[in-house]
Amino acid sequence: MSTDHLEYDAGTVSALAATSIDVFDTTLRDGSQQEGLSLTVDDKLRVAEQLDYLGVRYIEGGWPGANPKDDEFFKRAPHELKLDNATLVAFGSTRHPGTKAEEDQVLRHLVDAETEAVCIVAKASSVQVRKALRTTLEEGIAMAYDSVSYLVSKGLKVFFDAEHFFDGYLAHPKFSLAVLKAAEEAGASTLVLCDTNGGMLPSQVESIVREVKSRSGIQIGIHCHNDTGCAVANSIAAVQAGATHVQGCINGYGERTGNADLTSVIPDISLKLKIDTIPAERLERITPVSHHIAELVNIPPRAQQPYVGSAAFAHKAGLHTSAIARMRDAYEHINPELVGNGTRFVVSEMAGRSTLALQAERLGISLDSDAIAKAIEQLKRLEHIGYHFETADGSLELLLRKAAGWEQEFYEVESYRVMSDHIPVGNSDILIGTMGSSKAAAFTATDSSEHPMNYESTEATVKVLIDGERVIATAEGNGPVNALDAALRKAIGGHYPELRSIHLVDYRVRVLNSAKGTASATRVLIDTTDGTRVWTTMGVSENIIEASWQALDDSIICGLLSASGRLRDTDEGCL
Amino acid sequence: MSTDHLEYDAGTVSALAATSIDVFDTTLRDGSQQEGLSLTVDDKLRVAEQLDYLGVRYIEGGWPGANPKDDEFFKRAPHELKLDNATLVAFGSTRHPGTKAEEDQVLRHLVDAETEAVCIVAKASSVQVRKALRTTLEEGIAMAYDSVSYLVSKGLKVFFDAEHFFDGYLAHPKFSLAVLKAAEEAGASTLVLCDTNGGMLPSQVESIVREVKSRSGIQIGIHCHNDTGCAVANSIAAVQAGATHVQGCINGYGERTGNADLTSVIPDISLKLKIDTIPAERLERITPVSHHIAELVNIPPRAQQPYVGSAAFAHKAGLHTSAIARMRDAYEHINPELVGNGTRFVVSEMAGRSTLALQAERLGISLDSDAIAKAIEQLKRLEHIGYHFETADGSLELLLRKAAGWEQEFYEVESYRVMSDHIPVGNSDILIGTMGSSKAAAFTATDSSEHPMNYESTEATVKVLIDGERVIATAEGNGPVNALDAALRKAIGGHYPELRSIHLVDYRVRVLNSAKGTASATRVLIDTTDGTRVWTTMGVSENIIEASWQALDDSIICGLLSASGRLRDTDEGCL
C-alpha cells in the first residue's frame, strides 16, 4: 500500500487551537427519529456497544420518561452494557413553562435515569419561545437557568442543547445569546448550538460559532441537520471556529434528511484537520462499525457513503484504473485502510485493458493480449445491448474463461419451457368444473393482490444432456423463474449433489429502453451463494423468461465451477 | 401556506459579486461512472430531456470516441433532442503527450461531435503529469495550450477541466497555475477547478478559488466530488469565492462517493445565497425531475435526500408534528413547495384521509366517510404487502371507484395462460428435427444475448366473458407480458375499437423482500397512454406473470373508462 497520499498544506485550514474534539453520538435518540428506523431495547444496547467499541466519548441513549422503550433501556444499560470508553447520556428538555424545576416530571426522569451526564434541550429562538412554547422571553431564559441549576445541583454534568440557535440568532441575537448565558451561569458544561431546521451553510455556521465562542467561557458544541446537504461541512466549520464537541449520528441517521454523519465527520476531523476525535488506532473500526449498525437498524448501507461505503474507493473509468495501477493516490484522497475500507476495481465498458487483465489475473485465468482484446470487444458489444458486467462478477468470470478457450461441460441444455395458468378470483368454480378437483389441487391460491385469491399454477420443463444421457424434468414454482430453477436442479441435481448447498439469494429486474413498452429488453441479475461466497450473474433479452434463464444458467455453472474448483484444491472460481 | 420562513441575514453570507451561476450538469458523463448505473442511448436522451426541462445551462452528454454508446448519443441527439434551454457539451481530454493537436484522435472526435461547446480535461497537478502521464511539466502545459487553441480555432466554446487542481495547487502551486494560464491564453471560456479526489474541505476550496479568481480574467468553475461528504458545501464555498460555473450531477451520481448533488447545490445557491441558477420559476421542477431521473437510471431515490427526498419534509417526532401544526417553519428551513416537494406527517391517519378525499374529489368520485375509511384500510393493507399507490394513479383511481361501489363491466376474465418455449443456440437441428420446419417457423431467432441465436416462442391465451359471450384468444409476443397484452386486445378489441389508440409506454419491475430469491414478491408498474394522457397501473405478486397481468388489466380498464368518459363528454377518468 502506497503511503504517499498528499499532505494538505496546513495554511489552507484555519488556524486551530483545539487538539481534540469530544464526539457525542445521538444515533439512539435523534437518529431514531428517521422514518423507517425503529429499534428494540436489545437493538439499542447492541448499537451502544458498537459505538463504545468505535470509541465515541458520549452516547446519548434516549429520553427517559418519553416512552417505555427508553425507560427500559436506561434500566438495563447499567447492568448489561460494559462501556469501555464512552459515557452514557440521558436526554430531556428544560422544565415546562410556569413550573418549578424540582417539581418538573421531565427533570425528575432525567435524574432517575442515573447517568453521569444529561443533555437538555431549550428553545434558543425568540420566535419559537413565543409561538411554539407560548410564553415570555423572560420565562424562556428562566426555564434554561432553573433546569441547568437543578441538574447541576444533583451532581450531573449538563450538556445544553440550544435548539433553533442559528435561526434564533439571525432573527434576534440578543435573546439567543441570553439563553446561552443563563445556561453557562447555571453551570452547564457545554453550550451545544443546534441548527434544528438544518437550513444553514458553512460560512454562516463558522461566523456565528466564532461570535459565540468569543463571548463564552465554556465548551462550545455543534449539532447539525442535513437539510442543505451541508451537515458534515457545517460541523467542520464549527470546529474550525472553535467548537470542541460535535454531535451527530452514525450513517447520518435522523429525521428528514438526517443528522451530521459521524462516519464522515470523524475522519474529516481526524485525518484532514489532524485533530483527535476517537482514539487514532480505532479509526479503522469505522467502516465495520458503520456496516454493523446498518445491519442492526436494518437499513441497507449506502454504497456511495464517504469513507465507509462499499463504493467509496471503487474505481470504474478505464482512465482512472490504469492511473491507479501506477499510483495509488491518483484517485484516492486517503489510504482507505486508515478507515478500515479498501480499494476495489469495477469492470465495465469504460474500463480498459488493464482492469480486465487485473481481474483475469485475480481469478487465475491466463489471457494473452489477443484474448484480452477479444474479451473487451465482446464486453463492449454486450454492454451496448444492455449487459452490465460491473455488477455481475459471475457472468464476467464466465466471459473471461470463454475468452481463454474454456467451455463448460457440466450439462448441455436442449430446451426449456414455462407454462403459467391463472384463474382470477370468483372463478374457482370454473377451475373445479373444467379440470376436476384433482388437477385443481395443482393450483395454488394466492392473496398477494388487489385481485385477491387468484388460482395459479406455474410449471417449467427443462431438457438437458448430461454425461451423454438425456434428462427431462418438470417442476412447479411460485413464478416462472422459481419453476425454472426447480426444474433445472431436478434435471441435474442427481449428478451434482453439491447444488444442494447453492442457493439464489436475490433476483433483480431492470427494463431497458422502456419507451418500447412490454417488448423492451429486460436485464435480470441473480445473486447466488454457496454459504461462503456470493456471485452475481446476468441475462438480457426482450423475453424476461429468457433473460432470467441466462442468469440462472450462469449462476448454476458458476456454482458448479466453484465447487469443482474446491475439489481440485484451488480457491479460485466465481466470487 | 405560511410564507414567514426566516430570512437569513445577508451579513452572515460572504459578500457576493455574482448575480447568476451557470449550472453545468455532468450526469450523463461523470455521473454515469457510478457503480451500478448504466444508461442506454435511449435513457441518455430521456435524461437530457429532463435536464433541459429543469433548466440547466449545459448538459455534458458523454465522451465521443470513447465507446459506441456515446458515439450514437451524439449522432442521434441533434435529431431527437429538442433542447429548449440547455446547450449540449461533448467531453474529451487534451491531446496525448508528444502528438500534434490537429492530428490527435481525441480532439478530432470532439470536433466531429458537432456540439457548440466542448469540455476538455487536463492534468493540473505536477505529480500527476510526471507520474500518471509520464511526461514533462513543459509538455503538460503545452498539451493544455495546444488543445484549447485547436478547439477554439474550430469555433468551439471550450470549458477547461483542470483535473487534480486542488491537490496539485497544494503541492506545487506554480505548475497548477501555469496550466490554467495556458488554457486562458489559448482562449478557454472557463477554468473549471476540479477536486478530482474529492478530498477537500470548504475552507480550503474557498481560499484557493479566491486566489485563482484574483489571478485570472475569465470565468472560474468548480467541479467537486463527495469523498469528504462536503461536495455540496465545497461547491457553495467556491461560489462564495467567485466561481460562477458549477458542475455536478442530479442526485449526486458519480464514481466512488459521487459528484456534487445538483438537487442540493441548485436550491442552496438559489434560495440561500439568492443567486440565480436555473430559471426561478422552474425550481419547483427539481423534485419531480430528481425522481424521474432516478426512475430512468433505475436507482431507488434516497428518502433522506435534501430538498427532494420523500422524507426531506417528513415529520415523525410527536413534539415536532404538534409544533408544525402551530407554525410551519418550526422544523422546515424552506417552504417545501418552492422545490416541488411537500410536508408529510409520518404515521398520521388524518393526513392520509384528507389526501385521499382530495384525490377522490379531483376525480369526481363521491366518497362518504365510511367509504374513505374503508379505502384507507384497504390501501394500508395493500401497501403493507408491497403495493405503492403514490406512483400508480390509475390503480389508485380504480381502488377509489371500487370503494364508492363501482364495478367494471367491460369484460370478465375467466382465465389466462402463458407458454414460453426456448431452444438454445446450436440446437436448431433439434428444433427442425422434432417439430418439422412448419412448426419451427413459429420460433423466432434472437440475438440479444451472450447466448446468441436462441430460438424461442411465447404465446398467451386469454379467456374472457364479454357481453355474455365467451371469447378465447391466443397471441404471440416477445415475452410473456407482451403476449398477454396482445391476447387480451385480440379478445376484447372487437368490442372496444378505442383500444387501438391506447398503448403501453413503459413497464417497470421491482423485486421486493429480495432476500427470498426468486420466490420474492414482484411489483410491476405499467404506464399507458391514449395519446393525450398517461396513467400508471400496478400489480404485486410472487409470480411476475400474475403481477404483470394485474397491472395490464388495470391499465386496459383505465383506458376504457377514460374513453367511455370522453364519450360521455366529461374529462375525468384515469390520469
Side-chain angles (χ1 to χ4, degrees):
Chain A
M1 185 75 219
S2 150
T3 55
D4 64 346
H5 287 92
L6 291 168
E7 282 293 320
Y8 297 103
D9 176 358
T12 63
V13 173
S14 303
L16 295 156
T19 58
S20 108
I21 300 290
D22 292 336
V23 176
F24 182 108
D25 181 280
T26 180
T27 304
L28 297 176
R29 203 269 305 170
D30 225 12
S32 72
Q33 302 286 337
Q34 176 162 325
E35 189 176 5
L37 196 156
S38 170
L39 295 171
T40 63
V41 177
D42 284 336
D43 292 337
K44 292 187 79 156
L45 291 166
R46 291 172 70 194
V47 169
E49 272 167 17
Q50 286 291 309
L51 294 169
D52 183 56
Y53 171 75
L54 176 61
V56 307
R57 184 78 190 80
Y58 299 102
I59 297 171
E60 194 169 61
W63 187 334
N67 60 64
K69 206 188 278 178
D70 284 4
D71 291 348
E72 190 187 330
F73 174 82
F74 282 103
K75 269 200 202 92
R76 288 172 55 186
H79 313 292
E80 299 180 33
L81 263 186
K82 304 271 167 291
L83 297 182
D84 166 37
N85 179 79
T87 300
L88 198 62
V89 180
F91 176 84
S93 70
T94 61
R95 69 167 173 79
H96 292 86
T99 64
K100 287 186 175 170
E102 54 274 28
E103 290 166 8
D104 192 88
Q105 284 281 74
V106 171
L107 298 179
R108 196 175 54 73
H109 281 297
L110 276 175
V111 174
D112 291 350
E114 295 189 342
T115 53
E116 278 173 48
V118 296
C119 179
I120 59 167
V121 62
K123 295 209 185 293
S125 145
S126 60
V127 187
Q128 291 289 326
V129 168
R130 285 205 191 99
K131 286 210 208 173
L133 291 181
R134 294 183 188 162
T135 190
T136 63
L137 299 187
E138 293 68 31
E139 175 64 358
I141 292 168
M143 283 160 67
Y145 184 88
D146 296 353
S147 305
V148 174
S149 293
Y150 172 74
L151 293 167
V152 168
S153 78
K154 295 291 176 185
L156 291 162
K157 179 180 181 87
V158 180
F159 299 108
F160 184 80
D161 268 12
E163 196 189 21
H164 286 294
F165 179 79
F166 292 91
D167 293 334
Y169 180 88
L170 291 173
H172 186 175
K174 222 165 143 183
F175 174 74
S176 300
L177 291 170
V179 172
L180 294 186
K181 194 173 175 62
E184 180 171 351
E185 287 176 357
S189 82
T190 308
L191 302 174
V192 183
L193 312 184
C194 302
D195 182 18
T196 306
N197 288 359
M200 293 293 124
L201 298 180
S203 52
Q204 298 174 301
V205 170
E206 210 267 347
S207 72
I208 296 172
V209 171
R210 202 174 289 285
E211 179 64 29
V212 170
K213 177 78 184 167
S214 74
R215 288 164 180 268
S216 58
I218 59 174
Q219 185 180 44
I220 303 299
I222 184 76
H223 174 112
C224 294
H225 287 263
N226 199 35
D227 299 74
T228 61
C230 294
V232 169
N234 285 345
S235 305
I236 305 296
V239 167
Q240 292 182 312
T244 56
H245 164 117
V246 176
Q247 300 193 350
C249 296
I250 293 296
N251 300 333
Y253 299 135
E255 199 176 18
R256 304 192 310 271
T257 59
N259 288 57
D261 186 349
L262 288 181
T263 69
S264 292
V265 170
I266 289 171
D268 275 349
I269 297 177
S270 286
L271 300 176
K272 302 286 176 176
L273 301 186
K274 315 269 188 214
I275 300 173
D276 291 341
T277 54
I278 58 175
E281 72 282 4
R282 294 197 185 189
L283 195 56
E284 65 186 30
R285 297 182 181 179
I286 201 160
T287 296
V289 165
S290 157
H291 294 188
H292 193 122
I293 290 179
E295 201 63 56
L296 287 172
V297 306
N298 199 27
I299 291 179
R302 198 159 57 87
Q304 284 195 301
Q305 209 176 337
Y307 294 103
V308 300
S310 61
F313 302 95
H315 306 282
K316 181 171 169 180
L319 180 78
H320 289 200
T321 39
S322 59
I324 287 248
R326 269 181 242 164
M327 205 177 136
R328 285 298 292 263
D329 59 347
Y331 295 90
E332 293 186 343
H333 68 122
I334 59 158
N335 175 343
E337 290 170 16
L338 293 174
V339 291
N341 209 337
T343 300
R344 206 155 54 78
F345 295 98
V346 172
V347 173
S348 85
E349 61 187 324
M350 287 178 219
R353 183 174 294 265
S354 59
T355 317
L356 219 58
L358 259 173
Q359 192 81 7
E361 193 188 312
R362 206 169 58 81
L363 291 164
I365 303 169
S366 93
L367 286 181
D368 60 21
S369 92
D370 276 4
I372 288 190
K374 213 179 99 188
I376 287 180
E377 199 191 326
Q378 200 188 354
L379 194 135
K380 284 192 177 183
R381 190 181 65 81
L382 291 171
E383 295 221 328
H384 187 66
I385 59 173
Y387 286 78
H388 188 46
F389 283 92
E390 79 180 45
T391 46
D393 52 358
S395 294
L396 175 66
E397 175 176 345
L398 298 184
L399 181 143
L400 292 174
R401 287 195 187 280
K402 282 175 199 161
W406 169 84
E407 277 183 59
Q408 75 96 351
E409 289 172 348
F410 298 111
Y411 56 88
E412 185 184 346
V413 180
E414 182 184 305
S415 69
Y416 58 92
R417 165 186 299 163
V418 170
M419 291 179 58
S420 190
D421 283 279
H422 302 255
I423 300 182
V425 59
N427 292 342
S428 57
D429 45 339
I430 295 171
L431 179 72
I432 307 295
T434 59
M435 296 188 179
S437 59
S438 67
K439 185 158 184 203
F443 278 69
T444 53
T446 60
D447 178 25
S448 62
S449 67
E450 193 194 347
H451 312 235
M453 299 307 284
N454 268 279
Y455 290 87
E456 52 185 71
S457 165
T458 297
E459 63 176 50
T461 299
V462 172
K463 302 181 186 177
V464 296
L465 292 165
I466 183 163
D467 284 347
E469 188 193 344
R470 187 154 175 265
V471 185
I472 302 184
T474 298
E476 292 181 322
N478 292 314
V481 187
N482 192 236
L484 281 169
D485 184 39
L488 179 57
R489 284 163 184 271
K490 201 166 163 184
I492 67 171
H495 281 72
Y496 299 109
E498 57 268 43
L499 277 181
R500 257 174 263 150
S501 61
I502 292 169
H503 302 283
L504 310 193
V505 287
D506 200 355
Y507 172 78
R508 280 160 288 161
V509 178
R510 155 101 215 252
V511 177
L512 309 165
N513 308 315
S514 55
K516 287 187 212 156
T518 50
S520 310
T522 302
R523 177 167 64 220
V524 168
L525 292 168
I526 289 179
D527 292 348
T528 311
T529 186
D530 59 5
T532 312
R533 292 179 293 190
V534 174
W535 57 92
T536 304
T537 53
M538 170 176 49
V540 174
S541 169
E542 286 192 352
N543 189 331
I544 193 168
I545 292 174
E546 164 66 19
S548 302
W549 172 265
Q550 291 171 17
L552 193 62
D553 192 34
D554 277 8
S555 142
I556 298 293
I557 292 167
C558 278
L560 293 174
L561 201 56
S562 173
S564 66
R566 274 208 303 279
L567 292 178
R568 288 195 312 269
D569 202 27
T570 74
D571 64 352
E572 292 306 338
C574 287
L575 78 163
Chain B
M1 187 71 220
S2 151
T3 55
D4 64 346
H5 287 93
L6 291 168
E7 282 292 320
Y8 298 103
D9 176 359
T12 63
V13 172
S14 303
L16 296 158
T19 58
S20 109
I21 299 290
D22 291 336
V23 177
F24 181 108
D25 180 281
T26 180
T27 304
L28 296 176
R29 203 269 306 170
D30 224 12
S32 73
Q33 303 284 343
Q34 176 163 325
E35 188 177 7
L37 195 156
S38 170
L39 296 171
T40 63
V41 178
D42 284 337
D43 291 339
K44 291 187 83 155
L45 291 166
R46 293 174 73 193
V47 168
E49 272 167 16
Q50 286 291 310
L51 294 169
D52 183 55
Y53 170 76
L54 175 62
V56 307
R57 184 79 190 80
Y58 298 102
I59 298 172
E60 194 170 61
W63 187 334
N67 59 66
K69 207 188 276 177
D70 284 5
D71 291 347
E72 189 185 330
F73 174 81
F74 283 103
K75 269 200 202 91
R76 288 173 56 185
H79 313 290
E80 299 181 34
L81 263 186
K82 304 271 165 289
L83 296 182
D84 168 36
N85 179 78
T87 300
L88 198 62
V89 180
F91 176 86
S93 69
T94 60
R95 67 167 174 79
H96 293 86
T99 65
K100 287 187 177 169
E102 55 275 24
E103 289 165 9
D104 193 88
Q105 284 280 72
V106 170
L107 297 179
R108 196 175 53 73
H109 282 297
L110 276 175
V111 174
D112 290 349
E114 296 190 344
T115 53
E116 280 173 47
V118 296
C119 181
I120 58 167
V121 62
K123 296 208 186 291
S125 145
S126 59
V127 187
Q128 292 289 325
V129 169
R130 285 208 192 96
K131 287 210 206 172
L133 291 182
R134 294 182 188 165
T135 190
T136 63
L137 300 188
E138 292 66 31
E139 174 66 358
I141 292 168
M143 283 161 65
Y145 184 88
D146 296 351
S147 305
V148 174
S149 294
Y150 173 72
L151 293 167
V152 168
S153 78
K154 295 291 175 185
L156 291 162
K157 180 182 180 85
V158 179
F159 300 107
F160 184 81
D161 269 11
E163 197 190 19
H164 287 294
F165 179 78
F166 292 92
D167 292 334
Y169 180 88
L170 290 173
H172 186 176
K174 224 166 142 183
F175 174 75
S176 301
L177 292 170
V179 172
L180 295 186
K181 195 172 174 61
E184 180 172 350
E185 287 177 359
S189 82
T190 309
L191 302 174
V192 183
L193 312 183
C194 302
D195 182 18
T196 306
N197 288 358
M200 292 293 125
L201 299 180
S203 51
Q204 297 173 301
V205 171
E206 210 267 347
S207 72
I208 297 172
V209 172
R210 202 174 288 286
E211 180 64 28
V212 171
K213 176 78 184 164
S214 74
R215 288 164 180 266
S216 59
I218 60 174
Q219 185 181 44
I220 304 299
I222 183 78
H223 174 112
C224 295
H225 287 262
N226 199 34
D227 299 76
T228 62
C230 293
V232 170
N234 286 345
S235 305
I236 306 296
V239 168
Q240 292 182 313
T244 56
H245 164 116
V246 176
Q247 300 193 350
C249 296
I250 294 295
N251 300 333
Y253 299 135
E255 198 176 21
R256 304 190 312 269
T257 59
N259 288 57
D261 185 350
L262 288 181
T263 70
S264 292
V265 170
I266 290 171
D268 275 349
I269 297 177
S270 285
L271 300 175
K272 304 285 176 177
L273 300 186
K274 315 268 188 218
I275 299 173
D276 291 341
T277 54
I278 59 175
E281 71 283 3
R282 295 196 185 188
L283 195 56
E284 65 186 29
R285 296 181 182 179
I286 202 161
T287 296
V289 165
S290 155
H291 295 187
H292 193 121
I293 291 179
E295 200 63 57
L296 287 172
V297 306
N298 200 28
I299 292 180
R302 198 159 56 88
Q304 285 196 301
Q305 210 176 337
Y307 294 103
V308 301
S310 62
F313 301 95
H315 306 282
K316 179 171 170 182
L319 180 79
H320 289 199
T321 38
S322 60
I324 288 250
R326 269 181 242 164
M327 205 177 136
R328 284 297 293 266
D329 59 346
Y331 295 91
E332 292 186 342
H333 69 122
I334 59 156
N335 176 342
E337 289 170 16
L338 292 173
V339 290
N341 208 337
T343 300
R344 204 158 54 79
F345 296 98
V346 177
V347 197
S348 162
E349 269 194 59
M350 290 315 290
R353 182 175 299 262
S354 59
T355 315
L356 219 57
L358 258 172
Q359 191 82 4
E361 195 187 311
R362 205 169 59 80
L363 292 164
I365 304 169
S366 92
L367 285 180
D368 59 23
S369 90
D370 276 5
I372 289 191
K374 213 179 98 187
I376 287 181
E377 201 190 324
Q378 200 188 353
L379 196 136
K380 282 191 176 178
R381 189 181 66 79
L382 291 171
E383 294 219 329
H384 187 67
I385 60 174
Y387 285 79
H388 188 44
F389 284 91
E390 191 182 303
T391 47
D393 52 359
S395 294
L396 177 63
E397 175 177 343
L398 298 184
L399 181 143
L400 292 174
R401 288 195 187 279
K402 283 177 198 158
W406 169 85
E407 279 183 57
Q408 74 97 350
E409 290 173 348
F410 299 110
Y411 56 88
E412 186 184 342
V413 181
E414 185 184 302
S415 69
Y416 59 92
R417 166 185 299 162
V418 171
M419 289 179 59
S420 190
D421 283 278
H422 303 255
I423 300 182
V425 59
N427 293 342
S428 57
D429 44 338
I430 294 171
L431 179 72
I432 308 295
T434 59
M435 295 186 179
S437 60
S438 66
K439 186 159 181 199
F443 279 70
T444 54
T446 60
D447 178 26
S448 61
S449 67
E450 193 193 349
H451 312 236
M453 299 306 285
N454 269 279
Y455 289 87
E456 53 186 69
S457 164
T458 297
E459 64 176 51
T461 299
V462 172
K463 302 181 185 179
V464 296
L465 292 165
I466 182 163
D467 283 347
E469 190 193 339
R470 188 154 175 265
V471 185
I472 302 183
T474 297
E476 292 181 323
N478 292 313
V481 187
N482 190 235
L484 281 169
D485 184 38
L488 179 58
R489 285 163 183 272
K490 199 167 168 185
I492 67 171
H495 282 71
Y496 300 109
E498 59 268 42
L499 277 181
R500 258 174 263 149
S501 61
I502 293 170
H503 301 283
L504 309 194
V505 286
D506 201 355
Y507 172 77
R508 281 161 287 162
V509 178
R510 187 147 291 165
V511 178
L512 311 165
N513 309 315
S514 56
K516 285 191 212 149
T518 51
S520 310
T522 301
R523 178 168 63 219
V524 168
L525 293 169
I526 289 180
D527 292 348
T528 311
T529 186
D530 58 6
T532 313
R533 292 178 295 189
V534 174
W535 57 91
T536 304
T537 53
M538 170 177 49
V540 174
S541 168
E542 284 192 353
N543 189 331
I544 194 168
I545 293 176
E546 164 67 17
S548 303
W549 172 266
Q550 291 170 19
L552 193 62
D553 191 33
D554 277 8
S555 142
I556 298 293
I557 293 168
C558 278
L560 294 175
L561 202 56
S562 172
S564 65
R566 273 210 303 281
L567 293 177
R568 288 195 313 270
D569 203 26
T570 72
D571 65 354
E572 293 303 343
C574 286
L575 78 162

